[in-house]
Amino acid sequence: MALWLTKGRASSGPVFGSADKFEGLGIFIDTYKNNRPGTVFPYVMAMVGDGKTSYDKNTDGKDQELAGCSARGIRGASIPTKGRLTYFQDKSLKLELQYKTDETWTTCFETDQVKIPPVAYLGFSAETGELSDNFDIISVEAKNLYTLQTSTDGSKKDTGKQKGKNYDPNRGKKQGGGWGWFLVKIMLFGFVCGAGYVAYTYYKSQRRSSRF
């Protein structure tokens, strides 16, 4: 069985059921030993493909291996097996397995300076030869390691995103004044109207007195 994080979409091929000469990351759970003396199987390994290098099935990918570990007991385990892959972009890659007992994680490998295409497709594939085997994928979860920072007052701050050109820091904030400023404007309007009415009345009275 294989897990893929590759630049290209999935397509059928000879590498655990998927295409060879891939670009990206492949995690292989190999339950059958072809020709790799001194290695205990099942074996879990990682390979970073450059789009040109082939996976050598005859040696179980020994020369293409980035990191790996023996996982005796992962096949036919008494509990549902789990894998946890943690990747920090262009920095590190870590694989942990859970197949011995519940809530007990075993580090398979941890390596530095791993580069995966920034836009990658996640996929799974499997292939069997003369001996049949069965894999059931129950669930898959993907999570972001970078989260919003929460300040002491409970508000959240985004510390990793650049603001756009049309960004307005006051957008969405409640404007000051409220009902108090609204009432002040009504009073000013009434005062102006009252003053105008008084002036107009005085003007009419002056015209009447000038006639006599």
Side-chain angles (χ1 to χ4, degrees), residues 150-175:
T150 303
S151 60
T152 55
D153 59 357
S155 61
K156 293 184 178 179
K157 297 181 180 180
D158 188 353
T159 58
K161 297 180 180 178
Q162 183 179 3
K163 307 302 181 183
K165 294 181 178 180
N166 297 325
Y167 173 72
D168 182 5
N170 295 321
R171 183 181 298 171
K173 294 183 179 180
K174 186 177 180 180
Q175 301 296 328

Side-chain angles (χ1 to χ4, degrees), residues 9 13-14 20-21 29 33 55 100 124 128 132 136 139 186:
R9 292 178 179 271
D20 196 5
K21 297 182 179 180
I29 304 175
K33 185 176 183 179
Y55 172 82
K100 298 178 180 179
F124 299 87
T128 185
S132 63
D136 295 319
S139 65
I186 292 295

Side-chain angles (χ1 to χ4, degrees), residues 54-129:
S54 293
Y55 172 82
D56 188 355
K57 184 183 297 185
N58 294 327
T59 60
D60 299 308
K62 180 179 179 180
D63 295 333
Q64 296 80 47
E65 179 182 345
L66 172 69
C69 69
S70 296
R72 176 181 288 177
I74 196 171
R75 184 178 180 274
S78 59
I79 63 170
T81 58
K82 298 180 182 179
R84 182 165 62 195
L85 186 67
T86 306
Y87 173 64
F88 286 93
Q89 187 173 8
D90 300 338
K91 293 183 179 180
S92 65
L93 179 71
K94 181 180 181 180
L95 176 64
E96 298 169 280
L97 302 173
Q98 183 180 136
Y99 62 93
K100 298 178 180 179
T101 58
D102 282 328
E103 305 303 326
T104 300
W105 291 95
T106 301
T107 299
C108 179
F109 63 79
E110 187 171 5
T111 182
D112 299 328
Q113 298 179 352
V114 177
K115 291 186 178 181
I116 298 175
V119 179
Y121 293 96
L122 171 64
F124 299 87
S125 67
E127 181 188 40
T128 185

Side-chain angles (χ1 to χ4, degrees), residues 10-43:
S11 59
S12 300
V15 183
F16 293 89
S18 190
D20 196 5
K21 297 182 179 180
F22 58 91
E23 184 174 353
L25 175 68
I27 302 291
F28 308 141
I29 304 175
D30 196 346
T31 59
Y32 183 79
K33 185 176 183 179
N34 288 308
N35 183 18
R36 193 165 178 174
T39 302
V40 177
F41 276 65
Y43 192 78

